[in-house]
Amino acid sequence: MKSSNNFYTDIYSFFVLKKKINKVRMENIFSKLKIDSTFKTTSYNRTNDLNIKLKKHITKYFTKKITLCDIGISSGQSTKELYDHLDKNKINYIYGFDKQINIKIYKLNNFVFLYSLKNELMMVEYDKYCLRFRYFYFFKKIEKLLIHMFKYMNIKFKKTNVLIPDLEKITKCKFFEQDIFDIEKKYSNSFDVVRVTNLLNYSYFSKSKLKKAIVNINKISKENCIVLINRTTNKKKNTASFFRKRRGKFELLEDINGGSEIKDLII
Ligand SMILES: C[S@@+](CC[C@H](N)C(=O)[O-])C[C@H]1O[C@@H](n2cnc3c(N)ncnc32)[C@H](O)[C@@H]1O
């Protein structure tokens, strides 16, 4: 288990003690966290080129303060980078939505078990090293049994979230667990800008599911809303499209590197 540095995680220190850890370790942790068919993979400065473009569109189309929604935020690293890049006087609020933000962690001697709030085992760490392959799947098979064992042994979990600590200090950023396929009605017609990066990909979801997500994006966006859909390729290139909502429909504003793979479903 200790033979490869790639297995190093230290999830207790990061998620519970909220200690800062270096870039490589942070990216390593999130690349291993799976939620349904998607991963929480994220990385630093992933959308810098798009942040510059988005700022230009915001300056061009909005004179008032805007409310922005970022969907599928993972650790919130790319949300923080967007916030840092935008003109603060132009921001009312940034809402970060993700299907899963809250988690719970059990610690048993040198073991740390990271669970979703629905009691799905998401990661196991032993002595700061992430257990993978057969070790992890062994524990996954007994995930419910382990919960009973923790209760029996009176081991309490710590409820926490997966957000980077820096983000929680920004008062203009708010975070909510929301499913892009089932966004609460109260958010209808709420946002001036909606950004979805590395979530609405054909590799993750079927065409019909992607269409459903687009209908929901339309519902939460106001007239004149700017929508940015992006997928970062394995070569770290952003393939993105910017849209603007006009008379209830999305019009293409700009394609980056050939545009979003789902743009035909949007216009
Ligand atoms: C690959 S990460 C993208 C993170 C970040 N946007 C980026 O580009 O670096 C995908 C994120 O989408 C979230 N996600 C998966 N299914 C979702 C759903 N149905 N609704 C909202 N978020 C979802 C995952 O939890 C994960 O945090």
Side-chain angles (χ1 to χ4, degrees):
M1 273 175 280
K2 284 193 181 183
S3 58
S4 162
N5 278 338
N6 292 333
F7 287 71
Y8 192 85
T9 53
D10 206 352
I11 56 178
Y12 191 81
S13 159
F14 185 58
F15 289 127
V16 177
L17 305 177
K18 292 274 180 181
K19 283 195 178 162
K20 285 202 172 178
I21 56 175
N22 77 35
K23 225 166 118 160
V24 177
R25 279 165 56 198
M26 202 278 268
E27 289 176 3
N28 188 27
I29 290 177
F30 282 90
S31 69
K32 291 190 179 81
L33 285 177
K34 202 174 177 196
I35 152 137
D36 300 336
S37 54
T38 73
F39 277 91
K40 282 204 172 283
T41 309
T42 187
S43 53
Y44 284 75
N45 302 319
R46 203 179 199 188
T47 55
N48 283 0
D49 56 336
L50 302 180
N51 292 349
I52 295 167
K53 297 269 181 193
L54 184 56
K55 187 176 180 177
K56 276 190 190 154
H57 285 302
I58 290 171
T59 310
K60 181 171 173 191
Y61 291 110
F62 296 101
T63 45
K64 57 169 185 109
K65 282 190 175 193
I66 56 146
T67 303
L68 190 150
C69 182
D70 195 15
I71 310 182
I73 55 166
S74 187
S75 67
Q77 178 61 36
S78 57
T79 314
K80 164 111 185 11
E81 287 163 6
L82 177 63
Y83 173 81
D84 289 342
H85 182 75
L86 294 178
D87 177 358
K88 308 296 166 288
N89 297 323
K90 267 277 175 91
I91 301 173
N92 201 4
Y93 283 108
I94 294 187
Y95 283 65
F97 287 173
D98 199 288
K99 191 168 177 188
Q100 191 187 26
I101 294 176
N102 300 310
I103 52 166
K104 53 184 187 170
I105 290 193
Y106 294 90
K107 197 169 185 309
L108 174 63
N109 302 322
N110 289 348
F111 280 98
V112 177
F113 298 88
L114 188 153
Y115 275 84
S116 74
L117 297 192
K118 289 187 214 146
N119 287 339
E120 297 142 335
L121 184 61
M122 296 170 70
M123 190 183 270
V124 183
E125 181 182 276
Y126 175 74
D127 198 15
K128 298 194 172 99
Y129 289 82
C130 178
L131 299 191
R132 295 192 78 190
F133 311 122
R134 63 177 184 274
Y135 301 107
F136 176 75
Y137 288 108
F138 166 72
F139 286 110
K140 179 87 188 147
K141 277 198 177 310
I142 57 166
E143 61 183 6
K144 301 284 183 293
L145 195 69
L146 282 167
I147 299 267
H148 288 302
M149 189 187 84
F150 298 141
K151 275 189 192 148
Y152 182 75
M153 294 171 76
N154 204 19
I155 295 170
K156 301 266 187 291
F157 60 81
K158 288 209 187 300
K159 198 171 160 209
T160 179
N161 61 50
V162 296
L163 302 175
I164 50 167
D166 288 355
L167 200 56
E168 292 177 272
K169 293 179 202 141
I170 304 173
T171 51
K172 283 191 173 191
C173 293
K174 306 169 177 212
F175 302 94
F176 300 97
E177 285 192 343
Q178 288 291 321
D179 185 338
I180 197 164
F181 303 110
D182 188 21
I183 301 176
E184 278 179 69
K185 280 208 175 71
K186 66 177 178 187
Y187 294 110
S188 293
N189 198 28
S190 295
F191 301 107
D192 304 294
V193 176
V194 176
R195 180 178 84 153
V196 190
T197 79
N198 296 304
L199 174 61
L200 297 180
N201 304 348
Y202 278 114
S203 62
Y204 286 154
F205 303 110
S206 65
K207 196 170 173 178
S208 62
K209 283 215 96 172
L210 292 168
K211 280 184 176 169
K212 189 167 185 197
I214 295 162
V215 168
N216 287 343
I217 292 171
N218 196 324
K219 278 185 193 157
I220 63 170
S221 54
K222 294 181 186 168
E223 180 68 6
N224 294 322
C225 173
I226 292 172
V227 173
L228 164 59
I229 309 286
N230 171 54
R231 178 177 186 171
T232 312
T233 66
N234 292 342
K235 291 189 176 155
K236 302 198 171 169
K237 202 161 88 172
N238 289 314
T239 53
S241 297
F242 288 88
F243 305 89
R244 187 159 176 242
K245 187 169 163 180
R246 306 287 286 159
R247 288 172 293 277
K249 295 202 166 127
F250 292 122
E251 289 175 0
L252 184 66
L253 279 183
E254 187 180 10
D255 277 339
I256 311 295
N257 296 319
S260 159
E261 65 185 38
I262 65 158
K263 81 172 166 187
D264 293 348
L265 305 182
I266 301 174
I267 44 179

